[in-house]
Amino acid sequence: MLKMWSGRFTKGTDERMDDFHSSIHFDQRLYKQDLAGSRAHVRMLAACGIISETEKEQILSGLAKVEQALEAGKLSLHAGLEDIHMAVEHYLTAEIGEVGKKLHTARSRNDQVATDLRLYLREVARQVQDRLVQLSRVLIDRAEAESETLMPGYTHLQPAQPITLGHHLLAYFEMFYRDLTRVEDCLERANYSPLGAGALAGVTYPIDRELTAQLLGFTAPMANSLDAVSDRDFVIEFLAALSIIMVHLSRFCEELIIWSNPAFGFVELDDAYSTGSSIMPQKKNPDVPELVRGKAGRVFGDLMAILTVVKGIPLAYNKDLQEDKEAFFDAVDTVLACLEIFIPLLSTLKFNREKMRAACNEGYLNATDVADYLAKKGLPFRDAHEIVGKVVRYAIDHGLRLEELSLSQWQEFSPLFEPDILETVQIEACVAARNSLGGTAPAQVRAAVKRSRELLDKFSIK
Ligand code: ARG
């Protein structure tokens, strides 16, 4: 077909060229944003006297018809149309005739596509935030119910100190809450209008960029036309935020995978979110957490793709930038899909409190508490550490837990040990004692639950 830009050409493009350079098969996803941008643009053109009121009305009603037809799937979005921007203009002109050709006055696809993408980011960022809030609520509820549940805390995946499960879960709340605010930060910076930047240098018409910015809910017009059409840092920043969400989800998933191994047995995933094996009848596999963990790599890849696309292109617009969209969309789809499945997975899984408590009996989780006990009696911590190391060695050799040592056994290692050491080494006591701000004691967890709920309540998604 004849291109909208065919004036200076003497022949049409090769059909392989159409397939190669058109983006309509993926950017049709932006049709709503594109229509919104066009409506604002047309209103502004009329307000500034660049087109007449009648022309504005004709174009607006034509755009409404194009929208309906698009939604009904009645319009063919073939490669010859190139992209969604050209498609809308093409069908608008087919609908209302010559006046449709005025839509593109004082505009370029370069400022148009940048506008569409920012509008799109605004919409999907809200969806991501909405899922993060839901996930956070589930986390807080579950943490509250497990504020006294004891489990081993690990460093190097080796038993370290006893903690409460509620505390562990709230660690993830903190991460996801930061993610929520990180997305908010992206939104704040992304919400500026490129419209009116034209192809690269601004336009020769008396346009009102403030008006289009305002009509589209942008904070303000972007200050520099070259920047407006050629940077995609808002996509990069958003994908970086999405990547961090995936890092957090993936770590959580890794833990669920480990915890659901029978050797741990800390959790059982609900049957609704597990799968079996085609050959081993006994299997119950944590496919969902594994897939989320795997998809993290995919989102990082999308981020890397966009970084790489943008890094070498001279100002201003270059066609390379068309490659931003698929990575952007893929990252968004992936993160939303992961959050959507992870929320019910988390709300339905069962924690096995007995197994967690039993695991606290292994690994000498209370050794630090004994060192602290001696240090509080005036022994330098380093010396206390040395003595307790010897106690642990003794206990390992005799197959004993520290809770099983008698007072006289303790006193063989130091005269500072008194009868209260027998209580000090109880796992419950160790956890209750870590009552410092942000610590694992049930009292801290309950306070953190309250604080977390307040933070979420204060966070409103616009
Ligand atoms: N489909 C193009 C993109 O996604 C739209 C902008 C085209 N601009 C141009 N000068 N060829 O980037």
Side-chain angles (χ1 to χ4, degrees):
M1 72 182 268
L2 212 55
K3 299 289 189 257
M4 289 185 189
W5 38 254
S6 63
R8 62 97 67 216
F9 291 80
T10 51
K11 62 177 180 185
T13 45
D14 187 297
E15 63 185 69
R16 285 165 293 196
M17 174 66 182
D18 278 351
D19 286 337
F20 183 72
H21 92 134
S22 85
S23 53
I24 195 157
H25 55 289
F26 51 83
D27 66 18
Q28 53 184 271
R29 188 195 275 236
L30 297 171
Y31 81 94
K32 269 197 174 303
Q33 288 75 19
D34 201 70
L35 286 162
S38 288
R39 287 190 178 107
H41 180 65
V42 166
R43 290 203 166 94
M44 182 278 291
L45 289 180
C48 296
I50 299 166
I51 60 170
S52 72
E53 283 296 314
T54 321
E55 286 168 335
K56 175 188 86 177
E57 292 307 330
Q58 284 174 299
I59 295 176
L60 288 178
S61 75
L63 287 172
K65 292 206 181 97
V66 171
E67 179 163 32
Q68 277 170 13
L70 273 171
E71 265 161 17
K74 285 194 188 135
L75 303 181
S76 151
L77 298 177
H78 56 87
L81 290 166
E82 256 186 76
D83 54 30
I84 190 64
H85 326 295
M86 302 279 244
V88 168
E89 188 181 327
H90 171 82
Y91 287 117
L92 175 72
T93 305
E95 185 70 42
I96 62 171
E98 287 301 293
V99 61
K101 296 184 186 168
K102 291 204 170 185
L103 172 66
H104 213 51
T105 313
R107 186 176 77 170
S108 155
R109 274 185 296 160
N110 298 348
D111 56 349
Q112 194 178 352
V113 70
T115 304
D116 291 4
L117 274 183
R118 284 171 191 266
L119 292 173
Y120 180 80
L121 183 143
R122 224 162 61 183
E123 189 173 318
V124 292
R126 294 303 180 206
Q127 291 171 14
V128 170
Q129 287 186 318
D130 176 71
R131 306 300 187 284
L132 286 173
V133 168
Q134 286 180 41
L135 172 57
S136 297
R137 295 219 179 271
V138 172
L139 267 172
I140 298 170
D141 289 348
R142 300 228 62 172
E144 185 173 41
E146 308 297 339
S147 60
E148 304 199 353
T149 306
L150 301 182
M151 66 176 287
Y154 300 92
T155 62
H156 315 268
L157 199 55
Q158 300 296 316
Q161 293 176 351
I163 58 171
T164 48
L165 173 57
H167 191 53
H168 195 112
L169 295 174
L170 287 182
Y172 283 105
F173 164 76
E174 293 294 325
M175 298 178 224
F176 292 125
Y177 182 73
R178 281 195 301 276
D179 290 333
L180 194 57
T181 59
R182 210 179 331 269
V183 171
E184 189 65 22
D185 294 345
C186 293
L187 272 163
E188 212 160 280
R189 264 185 294 280
N191 200 31
Y192 286 82
S193 174
L195 217 52
L200 73 161
V203 299
T204 56
Y205 303 84
I207 58 168
D208 183 351
R209 295 192 60 210
E210 308 277 348
L211 178 59
T212 40
Q214 187 201 323
L215 288 172
L216 291 168
F218 286 120
T219 309
M222 292 183 74
N224 181 295
S225 63
L226 295 169
D227 172 49
V229 293
S230 68
D231 204 355
R232 294 292 181 265
D233 60 350
F234 60 104
V235 180
I236 293 171
E237 189 178 357
F238 184 54
L239 261 58
L242 294 185
S243 296
I244 298 173
I245 293 172
M246 291 306 293
V247 168
H248 293 152
L249 276 177
S250 181
R251 292 186 77 179
F252 203 163
C253 285
E254 170 71 8
E255 298 203 306
L256 294 178
I257 293 163
I258 293 171
W259 291 357
S260 62
N261 181 297
F264 279 75
F266 293 178
V267 297
E268 187 180 353
L269 303 185
D270 193 87
D271 280 2
Y273 304 101
S274 309
T275 52
S277 154
S278 59
I279 171 172
M280 297 166 282
Q282 85 286 10
K283 292 279 276 179
K284 179 168 176 180
N285 293 328
D287 287 33
V288 170
E290 290 169 90
L291 272 172
V292 173
R293 190 176 59 182
K295 285 176 191 289
R298 181 171 170 155
V299 175
F300 304 166
D302 292 328
L303 168 62
M304 213 42 68
I306 297 198
L307 282 167
T308 312
V309 163
V310 178
K311 85 172 185 63
I313 52 181
L315 300 187
Y317 178 86
N318 297 261
K319 190 74 171 237
D320 316 41
L321 289 173
Q322 181 166 288
E323 290 292 315
D324 59 3
K325 283 165 215 63
E326 284 162 296
F328 184 9
F329 298 158
D330 183 69
V332 167
D333 292 346
T334 305
V335 169
L336 286 174
C338 289
L339 287 169
E340 225 133 86
I341 193 84
F342 194 75
I343 295 165
L345 174 110
L346 183 66
S347 66
T348 55
L349 60 78
K350 284 201 190 63
F351 292 115
N352 189 328
R353 294 177 183 166
E354 294 71 37
K355 282 267 174 80
M356 290 189 181
R357 179 62 188 85
C360 292
N361 292 335
E362 276 175 70
Y364 301 95
L365 299 169
N366 42 8
T368 312
D369 298 76
V370 181
D372 288 342
Y373 175 94
L374 293 175
K376 285 175 194 164
K377 296 199 178 231
L379 200 63
F381 183 81
R382 195 48 59 217
D383 297 336
H385 186 289
E386 178 70 18
I387 290 174
V388 181
K390 292 201 161 66
V391 177
V392 169
R393 185 69 257 164
Y394 172 87
I396 292 172
D397 291 344
H398 293 81
L400 293 169
R401 295 188 275 132
L402 296 186
E403 300 92 297
E404 292 169 330
L405 297 180
S406 66
L407 181 58
S408 56
Q409 281 172 310
W410 281 113
Q411 287 173 337
E412 277 173 36
F413 292 92
S414 167
L416 291 173
F417 286 119
E418 292 178 77
D420 61 348
I421 185 61
L422 302 179
E423 167 57 21
T424 301
V425 292
Q426 297 305 314
I427 298 295
E428 286 72 11
C430 298
V431 168
R434 287 201 168 68
N435 200 20
S436 53
L437 181 69
T440 196
Q444 288 296 324
V445 175
R446 281 189 291 270
V449 161
K450 187 162 169 283
R451 169 187 166 273
S452 307
R453 287 216 172 97
E454 283 164 7
L455 278 176
L456 271 191
D457 290 345
K458 262 191 265 157
F459 193 93
S460 70
I461 297 173
K462 279 147 214 149

